[in-house]
Amino acid sequence: MKLTKAAAIFIFSILALPCFAKKQTRPMKYSNVSEAASALYESANTEIASSKYILADTHLAEAYTQAVSVDNRELLCKISLSKAVLCYYTGTDYSTDLAKAMDYASTSDQKDFLLSVCTLYDADLKGTNADLEAVNATEKRIAKNPYYLAYLYRIKGNYYAGRKDYATAEKFYLRSADIHTKECYLAEIGLDWYQIARMRSLNGNKMEALEALETAIKYDRDAENTAALGSDYFAKALVLTKGNATEADKAQAKENATWAKEIFTAGGYTSMSERCTQFLKSIDQ
């Protein structure tokens, strides 16, 4: 990595003169390394959400190196948590990165807050095996941060969904969506509504599920999230064929699955595109 000019360095140049000689100084300049590392970290999170795991891994590695170079413990904690999530999605062990995140949190200036954030990530990765009491205990410490408060509600939604309490799960996803919408976290809103649709479908509320998916599509389109859009349209196809599907339902399901396949293909999501193909074949059988 190339060092920026006078990166966060305050230099005193003392000439080899008697003690009464005047010190020669240079003005202090502040580094933009942390800012660059934060930008890479944010890009990586967006890429993880879009299933662009290789690119996310590259950006997280770059962000980590830069954060180390300026001893930014808060950012190192957050990067390590994102690396843990990436490991989870790619089927590799995330425990080392989670432990690193907790170590960085413990030595940061925001110890209590960041340790609470680590608790949330740990719970999210554990799913229905999460310690719900530990999650609830973090709420007061993260309440002033809307992003993590919404994350807490989503985690609780995931927890109850895993335990098949779909009505309770939907309530928490709605609370998450409300915060994300108010705070304009565009990349997150679509996922909230996708999960709301899923809960409604599992509860047998077909029409309400389809309405929620239309909302998810709106926000995922605005966010230009290819993987999410493909998933939204494919989910519509699946919901339409649930129960006693009419011929009109099946026709709409074909349209949505076909469009989902095109989206997945355009984005390079081969396995998902193939799932759409198999689904389309099953409708005709």
Side-chain angles (χ1 to χ4, degrees), residues 91-234:
T92 54
D93 181 43
Y94 61 80
S95 60
T96 300
D97 288 305
L98 186 59
K100 277 186 177 181
M102 296 183 74
D103 286 342
Y104 288 129
S106 297
T107 56
S108 74
D109 294 334
Q110 299 185 60
K111 178 180 177 180
D112 291 341
F113 172 74
L114 288 176
L115 283 175
S116 294
V117 172
C118 289
T119 297
L120 293 181
Y121 272 77
D122 182 42
D124 194 13
L125 294 168
K126 287 180 178 176
T128 54
N129 293 320
D131 183 347
L132 198 59
E133 287 188 12
V135 171
N136 289 333
T138 69
E139 187 163 355
K140 287 184 179 180
R141 292 193 290 273
I142 56 94
K144 293 183 179 179
N145 186 303
Y147 181 85
Y148 288 113
L149 183 59
Y151 185 39
L152 181 149
Y153 293 145
R154 182 183 286 173
I155 289 168
K156 293 179 77 168
N158 293 344
Y159 176 86
Y160 285 108
R163 292 175 177 264
K164 299 183 179 181
D165 185 349
Y166 305 129
T168 302
E170 182 182 340
K171 290 178 183 178
F172 282 111
Y173 289 135
L174 283 166
R175 293 175 76 176
S176 177
D178 182 56
I179 294 173
H180 285 144
T181 303
K182 287 179 180 177
E183 299 295 327
C184 297
Y185 291 123
L186 187 60
E188 303 291 343
I189 306 170
L191 177 55
D192 290 326
W193 281 99
Y194 178 89
Q195 294 287 38
I196 291 164
R198 183 167 160 261
M199 295 306 99
R200 291 176 178 178
S201 178
L202 289 168
N203 245 351
N205 300 322
K206 185 173 181 176
M207 294 308 298
E208 290 183 8
L210 291 171
E211 289 172 3
L213 284 169
E214 286 298 331
T215 304
I217 288 169
K218 174 188 179 300
Y219 286 110
D220 286 331
R221 186 185 291 129
D222 289 343
E224 297 185 348
N225 190 332
T226 303
L229 279 167
S231 297
D232 294 338
Y233 281 106
F234 188 40

Side-chain angles (χ1 to χ4, degrees), residues 15-70:
L15 301 179
L17 294 173
C19 61
F20 55 80
K22 183 180 179 180
K23 292 180 179 179
Q24 303 296 312
T25 65
R26 295 179 184 175
M28 183 180 288
K29 293 185 179 180
Y30 294 94
S31 170
N32 62 356
V33 174
S34 288
E35 185 178 339
S38 294
L40 286 167
Y41 160 74
E42 294 292 348
S43 294
N45 285 337
T46 300
E47 288 150 4
I48 291 172
S50 301
S51 303
K52 298 176 181 177
Y53 300 138
I54 295 175
L55 192 57
D57 185 50
T58 299
H59 285 155
L60 284 175
E62 292 175 7
Y64 185 86
T65 300
Q66 291 185 14
V68 167
S69 75
V70 292

